[in-house]
């Protein structure tokens, strides 16, 4: 439907427009959006104007363009992200209260860990995750849990690709990563000391739905050399509570 | 750009497609979406297929269609909703811990109160608000706070329109509503006993940004006849904390 002369669909163009907005680039001019999205300048302003008219994009007080509150509402109100997050929140708040560190919920999305929720604590350990942000599967504790329980085809694809080092501790050898995934399945949790940042250890457990399928990873980030057993206890208990909330 | 024979733009069609998904209708067939969105059947399946291909919509395990995790991510990661919510969360958690009832954050959107966040409590008072859900401005405590600080033009539009009664206590008389808005500005908070549900009282305070503009309402829902002073104290303190987080 409605293809441009260059052959891409309007849906592709919309996706490219939305992708130009990031956590650190929240407002842009129409010209910047058009350039970054690769839209022909002849049609960029008209297309972006339509998106503003419908509220999918909106103008801020300085007449720059940002993602519309209406789009957030429509993308959120029926979403699986919201339902999973709501089922997890009471248990996440208990983990945060007990451990006193950042507490996150992540799912597998397009070969990365996508974070649906993050509860922050004052004076907590350093942590680069953001809500609606992503981390690599092989480096983050959440990603490792999701990868350990992912279909074999996805595991092999990740194991065959270059494994980027975020720190000197990140597992970049595919045989070592394969052993780590087996260990995670055996122990029921992932410990990732310094894999993302030298100063921090990620701890994550799988969250299962009513059918027993791993649908998310619940994690905390603690200081690199802090004891892991108390937070792991809290995570395992919380994962059981979320499993119950999901009907398990 | 890319108008159909009936004259509506693809952007309009996208909006209509997204609007067919609601908190209680989270998955649909392509035929149902097309019918509810008023798309010509000749193009509905192709358009919906494109949206699935880009991940803006996605298939669930039963091959029904839902809003895509990718759309949630793109609509959330740069959004003003997320930034405001993140600034408010620590204070909201303190209110919830102190008051022990549902705690909400709402903004003004298209003449309604749109809820960005809701922290739930077990055994809390009845409450119909949902994240990414809406309530009327004249009936909810959050809406009343937002309306009391809205531009005069918006206030007059709401006062001139029919004021729907959700309960026998909802203010439906424009003179009474006008007095209520003045009272809210004078007292610095809204008390809405039974306006939404007979059994509950809504309490809300304005949240101001660095420039002093009211950008949100923070609210709790308590039992109809519970004391209002302790929760109002907690709300006022939290609103000051959020104002500080926003640079005020």
């Amino acid at each position: 439907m409605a293809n441009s002369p260059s052959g891409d669909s309007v849906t592709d163009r919309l996706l490219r427009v939305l992708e130009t907005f990031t956590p650190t680039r929240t407002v842009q001019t129409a010209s910047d959006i058009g350039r970054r999205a690769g839209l022909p300048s002849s049609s960029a302003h008209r297309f972006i104007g339509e998106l503003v008219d419908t509220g999918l994009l909106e103008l801020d007080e300085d007449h720059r363009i940002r993602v519309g509150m209406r789009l957030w509402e429509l993308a959120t109100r029926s979403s699986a992200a919201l339902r999973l997050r709501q089922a997890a929140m009471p248990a996440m708040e208990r983990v945060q209260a007990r451990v006193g560190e950042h507490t996150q919920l992540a799912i597998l999305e397009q070969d990365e860990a996508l974070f649906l929720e993050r509860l922050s604590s004052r004076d907590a350990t350093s942590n680069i995750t953001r809500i609606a942000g992503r981390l690599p599967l092989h480096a983050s504790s959440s990603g490792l849990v999701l990868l350990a329980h992912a279909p074999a085809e996805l595991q092999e694809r990740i194991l065959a690709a270059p494994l980027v080092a975020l720190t000197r501790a990140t597992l970049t050898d595919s045989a070592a990563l394969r052993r780590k995934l087996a260990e995670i399945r055996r122990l029921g949790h992932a410990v990732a000391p310094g894999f993302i940042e030298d100063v921090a250890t990620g701890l994550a457990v799988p969250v299962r739905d009513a059918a027993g399928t791993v649908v998310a990873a619940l994690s905390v980030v603690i200081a690199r050399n802090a004891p892991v057993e108390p937070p792991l206890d809290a995570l395992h208990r919380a994962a059981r509570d979320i499993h119950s909330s999901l009907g398990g």
Side-chain angles (χ1 to χ4, degrees), chain A:
Chain A
M1 173 188 281
N3 284 1
S4 73
S6 59
D8 59 352
S9 71
V10 176
T11 310
D12 287 326
R13 292 179 176 210
L14 173 70
L15 186 66
R16 295 211 306 274
V17 164
L18 294 179
E19 285 174 340
T20 66
F21 291 91
T22 70
T24 53
R25 190 196 292 145
T26 59
V27 293
Q28 303 178 78
T29 65
S31 303
D32 285 341
I33 296 170
R35 181 175 49 75
R36 291 180 176 126
L39 300 181
S41 61
S42 56
S43 58
H45 279 71
R46 182 168 164 194
F47 184 48
I48 292 164
E50 279 184 15
L51 292 170
V52 171
D53 288 343
T54 52
L56 297 178
L57 299 180
E58 66 186 24
L59 301 178
D60 73 1
E61 53 275 19
D62 300 319
H63 296 276
R64 294 168 306 178
I65 296 166
R66 63 185 179 194
V67 167
M69 209 54 93
R70 182 79 181 131
L71 182 62
W72 174 83
E73 178 186 7
L74 292 172
T76 300
R77 68 180 187 183
S78 75
S79 83
L82 180 62
R83 288 195 303 286
L84 189 52
R85 183 264 192 195
Q86 292 294 81
M89 269 295 271
M92 290 183 70
E93 292 183 87
R94 289 194 288 277
V95 169
Q96 191 202 20
R98 185 158 154 209
V99 179
E101 298 279 7
H102 299 301
T103 306
Q104 293 97 211
L105 184 72
I107 62 162
L108 180 65
E109 175 72 9
Q110 296 175 316
D111 293 4
E112 293 183 288
L114 172 65
F115 288 83
L116 301 187
E117 182 57 86
R118 172 188 172 180
L119 296 181
S120 301
S121 296
R122 286 195 274 200
D123 311 319
T125 300
S126 172
N127 181 349
I128 64 171
T129 62
R130 297 172 189 264
I131 294 172
R134 296 177 178 223
L135 284 176
L137 290 178
H138 72 284
S140 60
S141 61
S142 299
L144 286 164
V145 159
L146 295 168
L147 185 59
H149 297 278
E153 181 269 327
L154 171 59
Q155 290 181 2
E156 296 307 321
R157 187 165 69 245
I158 299 292
L159 286 161
L163 298 169
V164 175
L166 278 69
T167 66
R168 282 182 299 177
T170 312
L171 296 180
T172 56
D173 174 70
S174 66
L177 177 56
R178 198 182 288 279
R179 285 193 299 275
K180 184 74 176 177
L181 298 179
E183 177 196 277
I184 291 165
R185 285 188 295 270
R186 194 176 68 246
L187 297 177
H189 57 247
V191 179
F195 288 15
I196 295 273
E197 292 186 281
D198 283 328
V199 297
T201 291
L203 305 175
V205 297
V207 173
R208 294 174 191 275
D209 68 7
T213 305
V214 173
V215 291
L218 183 70
S219 61
V220 294
V221 179
I222 62 174
R224 177 72 178 266
N225 293 315
V228 301
E229 287 306 327
L232 282 174
D233 278 353
L235 286 173
H236 280 292
R237 188 173 308 187
R240 285 194 297 272
D241 291 346
I242 302 170
H243 176 59
S244 297
S245 295
L246 293 170

